[in-house]
Amino acid sequence: MSAQIILATANDGLAKLDNYIKAGGYQALRKVLTEKISPEAIIAEVKASGLRGRGGAGFPTGLKWSFMPRNYDGVKYLVCNSDEGEPGTCKDRDILRYNPHLLIEGMAIAAYTMGVKTGYNYVHGEIFEAYEVMEAACEEARKAGYLGKNILGLDFEFDLHNHMGYGAYVCGEETALLESIEGKKGQPRYKPPFPASFGLYGKPTTINNTETFASIPCIIREGGQKFADLGVPNSGGIKLFSISGHVNNPGNFELPMGTPFKKLLELAGGVRKGHKLKAVIPGGSSMPVLPAEIMMDVNLDYDSLQKAGSYLGSGAVIVMDDTTCMVKALERLSYFYYEESCGQCTPCREGTGWLYRIIHRIEHGEGKPEDLDLLLDLCNNIAGRTVCALGDAAAWPVQGMLKHFRKEFEYHIEHKRCLV
Amino acid sequence: MINIEIDGIKIQTQNGATVIEAAHQAGITIPHFCYHKKLSIAANCRMCLVQVEKAPKPLPACATPVAEGMKVFTHSEQAVKAQKGVMEFLLVNHPLDCPICDQGGECMLQDMSVGYGGGHSRYHEEKRVVLGKDLGSLVSAEEMSRCINCTRCVRFLQEVAGQMELGQAFRGEHAEVMSFVSGTVNSELSGNIIDLCPVGALTSKPFRYKARSWELSRRRSVSAHDSLGSSLAVHTKNNRVLRVTPIENDDINECWLSDKDRFAYEGLNSADRLTKPMIKKDGQWQEVPWQVALEFAANGLRHLANGAGAEQVGALATANSTLEELYLLQKLMRGVGSDNVDFRLRQSDFSADGKQQGNNPHPNLPPVGEGANVSSLAGGEPRQFLPWLGMSIADIGKADRLLIVGSFLRKDHPLLAARIRRAVRKGAQANIIHSADDDLLMQVENKAIVAPDALVETLTQVSKAVAAKQSEGIAGSLLGGERVVVLLGNFAQQHPQSAQLQALAQQIAAATNGKFGFLGEAANSVGGYLAQATPGAKGLNAASMLAAPRKAYLLLNVEAELDCANPQQAVAAMQAADLVIAMSAYKHRATEYADVLLPVAPFTETSGTFISSEGRVQSFKGAVKPLGEARPAWKVLRVLGNLLKVDGFEFDTSEAVRDEAIGGMDIPAKLNNASQAATQSSILSPQSSGLQRVSDVPIYATDAVVRRSAPLQATADAVTPQAWLHSDELKKLGVQAGEIVKVSQGQGSVMLLAAADDKLPKGVVRVATGHAATAALGAMFGTISVERA
């Protein structure tokens, strides 16, 4: 296995079909189709790989695939969630623009496994270039017989349509994404029913993240166990990490699951010169923040981060050094969730604005001592009370900040200025 | 069945029920806003969060299906904390302007905040302001800051009314409910969103600031404006009707009301109300005491009956008069020796009258020698043709295949249309045969839109196709069903070949094992028959009475130029008559031709009975006292009977009149859609040249009260009638849509705007009736000409 399985750069030229094939592309699809591997066997392989949803929730992919009704007569859909809107996350964008055929191959294998003929790839509204690369790649794949009818000359049909979003964060929530594809306002649906029984246009649908699909060809080629062994128990395989913030060399890195954070920080060139690491948000902006002392001992996998009090999320690592005002940082984060709440359900619609306004007041020297407990109480009234997880996403950063940096907030309230 | 436990109470409920439904069955209240039993589940307000055993977090009761052994706690610490948390969030951006809010006192948010809200607010930030919206003349959305975004209104318009006229735009805290590109809400069911709105965001525009809900008296009543018989509450204060709201009745109107029923009351106290009896003396109208007016009327009638003959007297009543009024009217007429009485004013084919199979002993037989005819002497009158729905209203909702012939369904029967719409959403197939193709806001499986003279032929073809077991088209659709319903609309009943249409529809229903019936036109379309307000074998029907003018007419609630099949002919007959006695709530154009005006009470000011199209007898009491000197028409008729010394007019109450009319009567046995084949009925000769008229009675032109309701007259449905033609016909005439054209029929012509509707069949022009702008024209069907003005 090469060092880089999913991550590519512009220099690799893999967006061109020829190059992708030269690099061993579409071998996994060919293997599945020519050897007529049974769907059960593929799902078993994916289960063995330990692959978990890379969009943030970390749901076991093999299990999700097994939920798709097998003997269903009607239309079924496969949807790729490329609506990468979580602040700090930019890994799927690189797959789309530098390695689009890997996604197509992964989706084709998934489609074969679940008996689906039509797929949609919902691309985030702000990455036009990635959408265009995907469109070109799909066209190439169609012409070369990797998409469309009789794929590879065999009795298998699958076509993939790219759908440009409009930039709403909430459309990254899978059911809001489905609504959006249907041409409606992107608002999450209440679940159950889950997409596997009532998905796109009310049909059974499987939705996976871009990186999840992109992991599939490797699993098929090399075997599930081998993929799993790259990582650690319960967090199989490799993962893309988008590191941003106060580091010298921000960007995407492909690393085995369980890699120590220290190693990632090193690869990213370390914290800016002359500054100390203060805190890290390890899994995208909605995950609770962790202070440096905890973070420097943490490995990047599902279990380790959960034990440390946060989550792996989408693998977006936001690094903050000692110049960061945590009140200001939280104000910025809360503003995001306030702006991106879809407005459908009460706690999120009304609560996110309230959170933001309180934090805004504190940042601007108008905080009151009782504000901090009020914030925590509001978070408890939002998290777990909403239709989708956006409510949780708005509450967790507040809870995390107040857990580890409460003193800084108190200082702000008392002195009406920053500690840093 | 599934066993669950809510708050320790063991409950058995259906599989697939939600927790909130199970709780409501058991009488347990779970606070909620967005949930409504007749709408889809949104689960967006989160007020109904409850604790469920083994669930890590509280779950919305409205969206959580029950499961065997489930234990639900609606008042546990976790549940109440969640509910209070949601209530706090709902209130942070709510203006809390209850003292000046029209919803105050009947507001779900206000009520619920008593139980779940805090004594003071922890929110000290700025509140959201949402600008008001103009949704039209019926629904006020002035104070959208009060909106809690439950989307009940959005879901109602989409799911029940059939068109998404409101939506939630923008995101998050900026989300607001608004209409599409600032349009008005034009649904004929729009008023229901006022009831649905749990807060004061959507209020009744006509009722705003008129009264507080606790100052109002509610009186139960029955809809007077269509044949459904909707249950409604008339709210009054200081002897004035201030609003009308639905009373839930799942068999009839569910929890809805059409805008017509809801806002018609605004016409009750119009400036046009006749409040004092008047007689015309030397061409001048004079207000006179009742005694004078009644004696004038009685003397006039007696004089004419004795002189020219009783058959020279005719009585016409509208079908929204009460049973008691209609009964006394016919009794009075028969008492003076005339059988000329009818309430079917817009009907033109009466050939089904007296052609029915079987005999019924006629109750209240007129004395031998005066009104009896051969058949009554031979053991009773022929069993009356008594067109009715042919099924219950609920049956219509259960149909899986429908054929609707000749109906402006949505506008003529708004709530029935909603019921059919729901059936269609659940998979039923609706098939339409009609002369116009208005959007029914539902999927129509097959439709045949043909000129009026081709309706019979079209229905004949369907009947043949059904007999031949054809698998396609309307026949195929009907044959594929298990619960087929064939309905004849108002247009079909007004059609000159209505008896033939009826015979064919009956055949089709029989061949598909279906049910067959008539969508009644007005509140007493069935009651009028049961009141015997029909001419019988000897008298003249509504059309004949006008075609062969009488010397005297007794009009009950009739506006001749608006309520009759042929306004031109009707007005001419009135003008030629020696004596016209108009019993009316309004001064209308009767002042031009009547000799005496007797002010009678509209339905809110009298007790009475309506018998709905499904044969349901519903009596009601007056909600307020009659305005001015107006009196209930049954009392006026009673006194006229006394003055004319007709026997059997000693009634003290309307109930006594009702009991004489239908007491002890087996009404279901009387309802009778079956008739002997009526193939010999009049034939509408196909038109070789010229245009045929297609006319509807616009939804807000159906009766006198509705015509005077200013808010209804300001809606999009009440625009002045236009001359609608297929654009090919417009081209032939050399007319552009939007130009004024001269539309002529008989001796009359009117100037109307020409408009294009390419869904109309060719060779027709659609010109509404029932409206002053077209009152100079002739019959609702037949030849009509259009030329450049």
Side-chain angles (χ1 to χ4, degrees):
Chain A
M1 242 185 256
S2 69
Q4 300 273 291
I5 294 165
I6 295 170
L7 196 59
T9 65
N11 295 335
D12 298 333
L14 291 178
K16 286 265 162 281
L17 180 62
D18 291 351
N19 296 339
Y20 181 69
I21 289 172
K22 264 183 234 155
Y26 287 114
Q27 288 303 324
L29 178 63
R30 189 174 296 277
K31 179 175 164 179
V32 164
L33 295 183
T34 52
E35 295 177 15
K36 296 198 167 56
I37 303 177
S38 73
E40 290 78 11
I42 297 173
I43 289 177
E45 211 59 49
V46 175
K47 281 181 176 167
S49 76
L51 179 64
R52 291 169 63 170
R54 298 296 194 229
F59 192 82
T61 306
L63 190 60
K64 191 186 247 187
W65 287 14
S66 69
F67 292 155
M68 259 317 236
R70 202 66 56 82
N71 300 318
Y72 180 82
D73 276 344
V75 181
K76 292 186 273 189
Y77 292 105
L78 189 66
V79 175
C80 175
N81 185 346
S82 299
D83 190 24
E84 188 179 41
E86 180 86 350
T89 318
C90 54
K91 61 186 182 73
D92 296 336
R93 182 189 62 182
D94 279 3
I95 297 173
L96 296 173
R97 59 181 183 170
Y98 299 141
N99 214 350
H101 288 286
L102 184 66
L103 172 62
I104 296 171
E105 187 177 1
M107 286 190 77
I109 294 168
Y112 167 82
T113 309
M114 288 175 272
V116 176
K117 288 183 182 156
T118 308
Y120 288 91
N121 179 28
Y122 189 96
V123 182
H124 190 60
E126 283 144 348
I127 48 174
F128 313 101
E129 180 206 351
Y131 172 78
E132 276 159 18
V133 173
M134 272 313 300
E135 279 287 272
C138 284
E139 196 48 42
E140 255 189 319
R142 229 170 261 130
K143 280 191 184 137
Y146 294 109
L147 282 178
K149 289 199 167 98
N150 302 326
I151 289 175
L152 297 173
L154 299 164
D155 184 27
F156 170 55
E157 175 187 348
F158 173 66
D159 209 349
L160 178 61
H161 309 280
N162 296 294
H163 184 102
M164 189 81 186
Y166 244 83
Y169 172 69
V170 76
C171 287
E173 198 281 343
E174 58 183 19
T175 53
L177 185 149
L178 297 179
E179 291 279 299
S180 179
I181 293 180
E182 289 180 11
K184 302 177 192 154
K185 190 182 178 194
Q187 285 186 336
R189 299 175 183 165
Y190 182 77
K191 293 165 287 270
F194 290 96
S197 54
F198 189 92
L200 187 61
Y201 302 111
K203 305 293 180 195
T205 302
T206 292
I207 311 176
N208 284 130
N209 169 255
T210 319
E211 185 186 345
T212 311
F213 281 127
S215 304
I216 298 297
C218 168
I219 292 168
I220 298 301
R221 253 188 347 254
E222 310 286 340
Q225 193 54 49
K226 219 165 161 188
F227 183 86
D229 292 345
L230 292 174
V232 292
N234 206 27
S235 298
I238 44 95
K239 167 95 190 79
L240 301 190
F241 291 93
S242 311
I243 185 163
S244 63
H246 300 146
V247 291
N248 287 312
N249 179 25
N252 286 323
F253 297 90
E254 181 181 307
L255 296 171
M257 282 287 199
T259 303
F261 166 71
K262 236 186 263 179
K263 170 100 184 284
L264 175 63
L265 187 61
E266 210 178 289
L267 287 169
V271 177
R272 289 189 303 177
K273 202 173 172 196
H275 293 287
K276 267 173 49 196
L277 181 70
K278 180 176 185 178
V280 176
I281 300 175
S285 67
S286 55
M287 299 303 151
V289 68
L290 291 175
E293 57 273 22
I294 294 180
M295 206 57 206
M296 290 306 280
D297 291 332
V298 158
N299 294 340
L300 299 172
D301 61 76
Y302 293 106
D303 294 345
S304 303
L305 274 163
Q306 198 166 347
K307 218 186 283 170
S310 190
Y311 300 97
L312 180 69
S314 61
V317 180
I318 302 171
V319 176
M320 298 180 253
D321 68 16
D322 51 11
T323 62
T324 313
C325 167
M326 296 317 251
V327 180
K328 176 93 184 151
L330 184 60
E331 184 201 14
R332 187 66 194 81
L333 285 171
S334 288
Y335 185 74
F336 177 80
Y337 293 103
Y338 160 55
E339 265 303 313
E340 294 293 345
S341 167
C342 81
Q344 178 183 199
C345 68
T346 308
C348 181
R349 178 183 65 241
E350 310 292 346
T352 51
W354 196 352
L355 289 179
Y356 164 68
R357 287 189 175 89
I358 296 172
I359 299 161
H360 178 82
R361 267 200 292 106
I362 298 173
E363 166 66 13
H364 289 82
E366 291 165 27
K368 289 174 275 187
E370 63 269 28
D371 281 344
L372 299 183
D373 287 338
L374 178 58
L375 280 175
L376 287 176
D377 197 37
L378 295 181
C379 286
N380 287 333
N381 284 343
I382 300 172
R385 306 276 193 273
T386 49
V387 169
C388 77
L390 202 147
D392 302 338
W396 287 347
V398 181
Q399 290 168 328
M401 283 289 190
L402 287 176
K403 183 174 171 195
H404 297 293
F405 299 97
R406 188 173 175 119
K407 287 221 152 44
E408 211 171 303
F409 284 78
E410 286 167 349
Y411 185 92
H412 238 283
I413 290 169
E414 193 181 338
H415 300 280
K416 307 193 186 307
R417 63 179 169 84
C418 260
L419 188 63
V420 293
Chain B
M1 294 301 270
I2 278 189
N3 299 293
I4 65 164
E5 203 181 295
I6 304 181
D7 296 339
I9 300 169
K10 290 194 165 49
I11 295 169
Q12 268 214 336
T13 188
Q14 267 97 358
N15 197 359
T18 58
V19 171
I20 207 168
E21 285 166 355
H24 285 171
Q25 277 167 22
I28 297 166
T29 313
I30 296 178
H32 61 272
F33 294 106
C34 70
Y35 168 78
H36 190 279
K37 61 185 173 186
K38 298 282 181 191
L39 302 177
S40 65
I41 300 296
N44 63 29
C45 79
R46 318 307 283 178
M47 193 63 209
C48 68
L49 289 172
V50 292
Q51 183 177 356
V52 177
E53 193 183 52
K54 289 184 196 132
K57 47 188 190 180
L59 298 176
C62 69
T64 305
V66 293
E68 185 61 40
M70 188 184 242
K71 280 187 180 166
V72 179
F73 306 94
T74 68
H75 286 86
S76 65
E77 197 185 328
Q78 191 203 55
V80 171
K81 166 123 178 53
Q83 291 157 2
K84 287 189 167 176
V86 171
M87 176 52 75
E88 180 177 40
F89 284 134
L90 284 170
L91 293 178
V92 297
N93 276 309
H94 188 79
L96 295 171
D97 57 347
C98 312
I100 56 149
C101 175
D102 239 35
Q103 193 87 350
E106 49 183 5
C107 173
M108 284 177 80
L109 188 65
Q110 200 179 31
D111 293 351
M112 226 82 90
S113 68
V114 174
Y116 300 90
H120 70 283
S121 177
R122 296 194 289 173
Y123 186 79
H124 303 292
E125 325 300 325
E126 251 176 61
K127 285 200 181 226
R128 168 179 62 219
V129 172
V130 183
L131 293 182
K133 317 276 186 289
D134 183 5
L135 302 183
S137 59
L138 305 178
V139 180
S140 167
E142 257 329 291
E143 296 90 2
M144 288 305 281
S145 294
R146 294 175 186 154
C147 173
I148 58 167
N149 285 287
C150 71
T151 67
R152 277 182 172 191
C153 54
V154 175
R155 283 175 284 146
F156 172 83
L157 288 169
Q158 192 172 13
E159 294 161 14
V160 181
Q163 192 164 25
M164 194 178 182
E165 291 192 275
L166 289 177
Q168 191 192 39
F170 309 130
R171 274 200 320 235
E173 208 182 76
H174 313 295
E176 46 183 288
V177 169
M178 58 173 68
S179 61
F180 187 63
V181 287
S182 304
T184 53
V185 171
N186 295 332
S187 166
E188 61 282 350
L189 300 173
S190 71
N192 293 299
I193 63 178
I194 299 165
D195 298 340
L196 285 171
C197 184
V199 296
L202 302 177
T203 52
S204 163
K205 211 173 238 183
F207 174 66
R208 272 159 75 78
Y209 306 133
K210 294 271 171 68
R212 283 309 207 170
S213 61
W214 57 85
E215 302 169 329
L216 297 167
S217 309
R218 286 170 97 244
R219 310 251 187 246
R220 201 184 172 90
S221 192
V222 181
S223 162
H225 308 291
D226 67 23
S227 60
L228 199 68
S230 297
S231 304
L232 48 85
V234 177
H235 299 239
T236 67
K237 181 188 169 188
N238 298 338
N239 204 40
R240 208 180 154 94
V241 178
L242 288 183
R243 70 168 172 183
V244 167
T245 56
I247 289 178
E248 189 170 338
N249 191 336
D250 233 31
D251 296 336
I252 306 175
N253 51 312
E254 304 175 71
C255 47
W256 315 127
L257 214 49
S258 67
D259 287 357
K260 183 155 78 163
D261 285 337
R262 185 185 298 268
F263 296 108
Y265 75 89
E266 283 282 312
L268 289 171
N269 296 310
S270 92
D272 193 23
R273 262 305 283 274
L274 181 65
T275 53
K276 285 193 172 135
M278 296 172 89
I279 57 174
K280 194 148 60 178
K281 244 187 191 161
D282 308 324
Q284 293 295 311
W285 282 102
Q286 294 180 352
E287 288 177 358
V288 293
W290 264 108
Q291 192 60 29
V292 175
L294 285 167
E295 275 170 12
F296 181 94
N299 290 338
L301 274 179
R302 188 184 301 118
H303 181 76
L304 236 140
N306 292 342
E311 74 281 0
Q312 278 301 325
V313 184
L316 296 168
T318 58
N320 49 20
S321 309
T322 66
L323 175 84
E324 292 79 355
E325 293 163 2
L326 291 165
Y327 178 76
L328 290 185
L329 181 69
Q330 64 84 26
K331 191 171 183 183
L332 181 75
M333 289 306 289
R334 295 198 157 109
V336 300
S338 170
D339 268 341
N340 304 337
V341 57
D342 210 342
F343 68 100
R344 301 164 297 177
L345 306 184
R346 291 200 185 97
Q347 194 165 313
S348 51
D349 178 4
F350 293 87
S351 60
D353 279 11
K355 280 206 176 150
Q356 278 61 49
Q357 278 177 312
N359 285 341
N360 255 354
H362 201 298
N364 308 306
L365 272 177
V368 175
E370 282 185 48
N373 55 35
V374 178
S375 52
S376 68
L377 289 170
E381 293 229 328
R383 189 174 172 200
Q384 265 216 46
F385 175 55
L386 209 165
W388 68 296
L389 197 56
M391 64 203 87
S392 72
I393 291 165
D395 284 342
I396 293 182
K398 291 179 197 143
D400 63 353
R401 297 288 190 275
L402 297 109
L403 173 60
I404 299 154
V405 182
S407 177
F408 296 94
L409 185 68
R410 232 180 95 202
K411 301 299 174 183
D412 287 347
H413 312 281
L415 285 177
L416 220 48
R419 224 176 243 270
I420 295 173
R421 186 174 299 127
R422 187 175 55 203
V424 168
R425 273 175 177 263
K426 284 187 185 159
Q429 295 182 357
N431 301 281
I432 306 293
I433 298 177
H434 195 23
S435 293
D437 189 13
D438 292 347
D439 193 350
L440 295 177
L441 303 180
M442 65 176 94
Q443 194 183 325
V444 173
E445 200 64 22
N446 300 287
K447 59 187 167 192
I449 307 301
V450 298
D453 66 357
L455 269 186
V456 166
E457 177 57 24
T458 306
L459 206 55
T460 306
Q461 293 308 324
V462 172
S463 178
K464 283 181 183 161
V466 167
K469 304 276 178 218
Q470 264 188 26
S471 58
E472 282 160 13
I474 294 174
S477 167
L478 296 180
L479 288 165
E482 286 172 4
R483 295 174 305 282
V484 177
V485 160
V486 181
L487 294 167
L488 288 184
N490 300 359
F491 185 82
Q493 291 165 72
Q494 292 152 356
H495 193 278
Q497 294 161 300
S498 100
Q500 270 174 279
L501 292 172
Q502 177 249 335
L504 288 163
Q506 194 181 321
Q507 276 170 23
I508 292 169
T512 53
N513 273 329
K515 292 182 172 171
F516 156 67
F518 292 87
L519 298 166
E521 185 181 328
N524 249 337
S525 290
V526 169
Y529 280 98
L530 290 168
Q532 303 156 54
T534 46
K538 205 176 149 202
L540 298 177
N541 58 47
S544 317
M545 261 187 262
L546 297 168
R550 304 288 95 190
K551 287 204 159 59
Y553 289 99
L554 192 51
L555 301 180
L556 177 58
N557 295 324
V558 177
E559 296 185 73
E561 76 284 7
L562 302 177
D563 287 319
C564 295
N566 187 337
Q568 211 171 67
Q569 195 183 51
V571 171
M574 294 304 138
Q575 278 165 342
D578 294 343
L579 175 68
V580 176
I581 301 165
M583 286 180 277
S584 167
Y586 300 97
K587 270 179 207 162
H588 67 94
R589 265 182 71 187
T591 48
E592 290 174 21
Y593 51 71
D595 300 282
V596 52
L597 290 170
L598 303 175
V600 297
F603 80 106
T604 48
E605 300 170 14
T606 178
S607 53
T609 303
F610 291 135
I611 302 178
S612 73
S613 61
E614 62 171 346
R616 188 184 292 261
V617 180
Q618 300 191 101
S619 295
F620 52 90
K621 297 233 182 291
V624 290
K625 280 187 245 146
L627 189 72
E629 289 178 26
R631 288 187 191 177
W634 71 266
K635 288 188 179 173
V636 175
L637 286 162
R638 190 201 100 123
V639 177
L640 277 178
N642 298 149
L643 289 173
L644 288 165
K645 300 198 168 45
V646 182
D647 285 343
F649 264 78
E650 288 75 37
F651 301 100
D652 288 333
T653 61
S654 69
E655 287 79 6
V657 182
R658 179 196 63 201
D659 291 346
E660 182 176 307
I662 57 165
M665 186 189 277
D666 181 3
I667 289 173
K670 290 234 136 203
L671 305 175
N672 174 29
N673 284 331
S675 81
Q676 258 171 352
T679 44
Q680 299 305 313
S681 72
S682 67
I683 287 161
L684 190 70
S685 53
Q687 311 246 326
S688 50
S689 63
L691 292 162
Q692 296 175 55
R693 181 171 178 184
V694 170
S695 44
D696 57 318
V697 184
I699 181 167
Y700 302 137
T702 50
D703 63 71
V705 182
V706 168
R707 286 173 198 137
R708 288 166 178 82
S709 166
L712 288 179
Q713 295 308 319
T715 61
D717 273 330
V719 291
T720 307
Q722 302 180 345
W724 293 91
L725 293 119
H726 193 283
S727 53
D728 288 356
E729 297 290 348
L730 283 175
K731 223 174 276 172
K732 264 197 233 165
L733 295 166
V735 173
Q736 302 271 328
E739 285 180 0
I740 293 175
V741 286
K742 185 176 171 191
V743 180
S744 311
Q745 226 180 347
Q747 293 81 45
S749 57
V750 296
M751 307 297 254
L752 298 174
L753 284 179
D757 177 1
D758 287 355
K759 295 201 286 181
L760 280 174
K762 291 182 190 165
V764 308
V765 53
R766 177 173 171 183
V767 179
T769 187
H771 195 282
T774 59
L777 295 176
M780 292 173 72
F781 292 83
T783 321
I784 188 166
S785 71
V786 179
E787 57 192 314
R788 301 188 62 150

